[in-house]
Amino acid sequence: MANHVRIANLATHLGEEVVIKGWLYNARSSGKILFLEIRDGSGIVQGIVAKNAVSEEVWERAESLTQESSIIVTGTPREHPKRPGVYELDVRDLTIVQLTHDYPITPKEHGIEFLMDHRHLWLRSKRQHAILRVRHEVVRAVRDFLDNDGFILADTPILTPAACEGTTTLFELDYFDEGKAYLTQSGQLYNEATAAAFGKVYCFGPTFRAEKSKTRRHLTEFWMVEPEVAYATLDDMMVLAERFLCFIVERILERRKEELTLLERDISKLEAIAPPFPRLSYDEAVQMLHEAHLAGKLEHDFIWGGDFGAPDETYLAQQFDRPVIIHRYPAQVKAFYMEEDPERPEVVLCMDVLAPEGYGEIIGGGQRMQSYDRLAQRIAEHNLPREAFEWYLDLRRYGTVPHAGFGMGIERCVAWLCGLEHVRETIPFPRMLYRLRP
């Protein structure tokens, strides 16, 4: 009896009779030969059904197939005579598991809202497959880098009693008799606790921001990896972020060039990513934006003290052929826990890493506040509930040390690597301001 083989593994079964279990992606006919594009999740293979090589019953079944019908095919794989490394399947038998009718996503062009409404089916397309395989490789590279660099995975809670990144972007819910709880904006506060236990840790999971934003860079639910290191400084984090991103880019170029080619990604731009990354202080970045405005390159002048918007980040990133690190932002635009620069208390020891080609911030982080008294003061200044942060203050009561970390959003990283216009295609089921289904 023929063995069930995945399409991705056909090269090791040439000349053997195998069974493929999958779906019909597309089909065309040339008289007495049918060409069936069969997919099984691992790849697509062309199945050739010759009328004179199969029974009449098998031929009739093959002729009746419709797009996305589920099928089990028996045949013999061989290498394409004119395309080395490409394989075909000479079909001997075919069983229909289900004959599909009126599959909604036909080969014609469809609008993005229609495709998003049918996201559960759109995932079956070649483009979406390529994007999500790149995502898978990014996730694997993230774990490999951190695991091999001495980090311990320490997962953090999704339900939290207080804000991490600001109270205006919280998803709130009732938590039994305990009052209000919130979907996590970041695992970073809990990371600081586990870093004090293990030295080098990371968390990796979904995070939530109730931002009423409709830009191409925003999702309300996204995945973030957050390393945190005890006895580390802002400079240490800039070096770590640089090594981290270079490792991910190299891994994608090594293992996912086929997917990048299908997406028509300009691979040369990724091949240019190498250390060292340019580093600009916030002050230097503001000066660049001001000069660009005077030269007529930016519509609005940028005033010191604000946070960069998308046009500002895009302009700054476009000046370089690799990610750029901007550090020491004003304290007023960053989270309450950021350590102040001892030489300039109005700025904090933080950084953002902006991806090239206009993809904006993909990493944000910095050094955390070390002093118990100063942190307690900052919590009060931000009108945060002291009781919800007593455990966090304990980390400064008992063995406080300099420590630092950062977070990287997986979806923005994938959008950059794939050269996508919008982050909505970088996650299987995106959640956006006006998108909760499917």
Side-chain angles (χ1 to χ4, degrees):
M1 185 175 177
N3 290 323
H4 174 210
V5 173
R6 298 272 277 172
I7 290 171
N9 301 325
L10 283 180
T12 60
H13 295 274
L14 299 182
E16 302 174 19
E17 188 165 81
V18 301
V19 173
I20 302 291
K21 298 180 180 181
W23 298 263
L24 182 73
Y25 189 76
N26 206 349
R28 61 187 177 87
S29 173
S30 178
K32 296 183 179 181
I33 300 178
L34 295 174
F35 299 94
L36 310 180
E37 282 190 80
I38 305 160
R39 67 171 189 86
D40 72 347
S42 74
I44 294 178
V45 66
Q46 179 169 265
I48 299 173
V49 186
K51 190 171 185 178
N52 62 3
V54 298
S55 69
E56 186 176 341
E57 185 180 8
V58 169
W59 177 259
E60 289 175 356
R61 284 186 208 145
E63 276 196 312
S64 73
L65 289 177
T66 53
Q67 187 184 0
E68 286 303 318
S69 290
S70 41
I71 54 177
I72 299 174
V73 179
T74 301
T76 305
R78 56 178 170 81
E79 191 167 29
H80 193 287
K82 298 180 180 178
R83 299 166 64 194
V86 176
Y87 305 99
E88 297 179 323
L89 187 74
D90 289 324
V91 175
R92 181 183 66 78
D93 196 10
L94 183 151
T95 300
I96 298 174
V97 179
Q98 185 197 40
L99 199 62
T100 297
H101 300 286
D102 303 319
Y103 185 71
I105 304 179
T106 59
K108 71 174 186 178
E109 288 290 324
H110 295 282
I112 188 62
E113 288 304 314
F114 176 87
L115 291 170
M116 291 305 300
D117 287 342
H118 293 85
R119 181 65 174 168
H120 51 295
L121 302 176
W122 192 24
L123 293 174
R124 304 178 185 187
S125 75
K126 290 180 182 178
R127 174 182 168 86
Q128 302 310 309
H129 253 227
I131 294 167
L132 293 179
R133 285 186 181 279
V134 171
R135 178 193 174 98
H136 167 72
E137 202 63 59
V138 168
V139 170
R140 187 157 57 166
V142 162
R143 292 189 183 278
D144 286 349
F145 176 89
L146 294 172
D147 292 346
N148 293 332
D149 207 52
F151 284 80
I152 295 291
L153 173 64
D155 291 318
T156 57
I158 289 175
L159 290 172
T160 64
C164 177
E165 297 292 328
T167 56
T168 59
T169 61
L170 286 167
F171 283 107
E172 181 183 292
L173 65 153
D174 294 319
Y175 194 76
F176 305 109
D177 296 330
E178 293 291 317
K180 298 295 183 185
Y182 308 94
L183 295 181
T184 182
Q185 300 165 306
S186 164
Q188 182 238 303
L189 302 187
Y190 294 94
N191 264 0
E192 294 183 49
T194 55
F198 295 98
K200 296 173 73 173
V201 298
Y202 71 101
C203 66
F204 197 171
T207 52
F208 306 85
R209 304 279 171 90
E211 294 176 302
K212 292 186 176 179
S213 173
K214 294 188 288 185
T215 78
R216 65 187 180 93
R217 299 177 181 175
H218 284 87
L219 298 170
T220 56
E221 177 185 333
F222 58 97
W223 282 67
M224 187 154 64
V225 58
E226 301 176 78
E228 192 79 19
V229 184
Y231 289 101
T233 65
L234 170 62
D235 287 342
D236 294 326
M237 286 306 103
M238 289 195 277
V239 171
L240 181 65
E242 186 176 81
R243 290 175 50 228
F244 184 60
L245 282 177
C246 287
F247 181 88
I248 293 169
V249 171
E250 288 170 10
R251 173 67 69 81
I252 296 303
L253 288 172
E254 175 192 344
R255 299 188 180 179
R256 296 298 171 189
K257 265 191 179 174
E258 182 180 340
E259 285 80 4
L260 296 178
T261 300
L262 187 148
L263 294 168
E264 299 181 337
R265 180 63 161 112
D266 184 349
I267 292 174
S268 67
K269 294 190 184 227
L270 296 179
E271 291 172 335
I273 307 300
F277 292 173
R279 299 182 186 183
L280 299 175
S281 69
Y282 174 87
D283 294 346
E284 291 168 329
V286 169
Q287 183 61 29
M288 285 179 65
L289 294 173
H290 178 63
E291 291 172 0
H293 172 67
L294 292 178
K297 297 176 182 177
L298 286 174
E299 182 179 355
H300 301 290
D301 198 5
F302 187 89
I303 306 301
W304 194 99
D307 203 359
F308 298 132
D312 309 311
E313 290 183 345
T314 297
Y315 177 80
L316 292 168
Q318 285 176 341
Q319 308 314 302
F320 306 95
D321 66 349
R322 62 198 69 193
V324 57
I325 303 174
I326 301 178
H327 56 88
R328 292 175 170 80
Y329 285 68
Q332 65 204 45
V333 300
K334 290 298 178 181
F336 72 92
Y337 50 73
M338 287 293 186
E339 184 69 278
E340 296 160 341
D341 186 333
E343 297 179 7
R344 291 181 62 198
E346 72 273 17
V347 302
V348 289
L349 300 177
C350 67
M351 65 164 185
D352 284 348
V353 182
L354 308 184
E357 304 174 72
Y359 282 92
E361 177 200 336
I362 51 171
I363 283 179
Q367 196 168 324
R368 320 308 187 187
M369 194 162 279
Q370 184 178 344
S371 161
Y372 171 89
D373 291 334
R374 190 69 189 100
L375 180 60
Q377 183 181 345
R378 290 284 284 173
I379 289 171
E381 289 171 357
H382 281 71
N383 297 314
L384 296 170
R386 169 74 180 242
E387 64 278 8
F389 291 94
E390 283 296 343
W391 71 270
Y392 186 57
L393 286 165
D394 274 353
L395 304 178
R396 276 70 177 175
R397 287 188 183 100
Y398 309 116
T400 187
V401 299
H403 58 290
F406 63 76
M408 184 187 80
I410 295 299
E411 289 75 18
R412 285 193 187 180
C413 182
V414 172
W416 163 50
L417 293 172
C418 291
L420 306 179
E421 183 181 342
H422 200 292
V423 293
R424 64 189 158 216
E425 293 180 67
T426 62
I427 189 169
F429 297 99
R431 295 292 175 255
M432 298 176 287
L433 182 58
Y434 298 115
R435 173 67 58 183
L436 187 58
R437 295 181 179 86

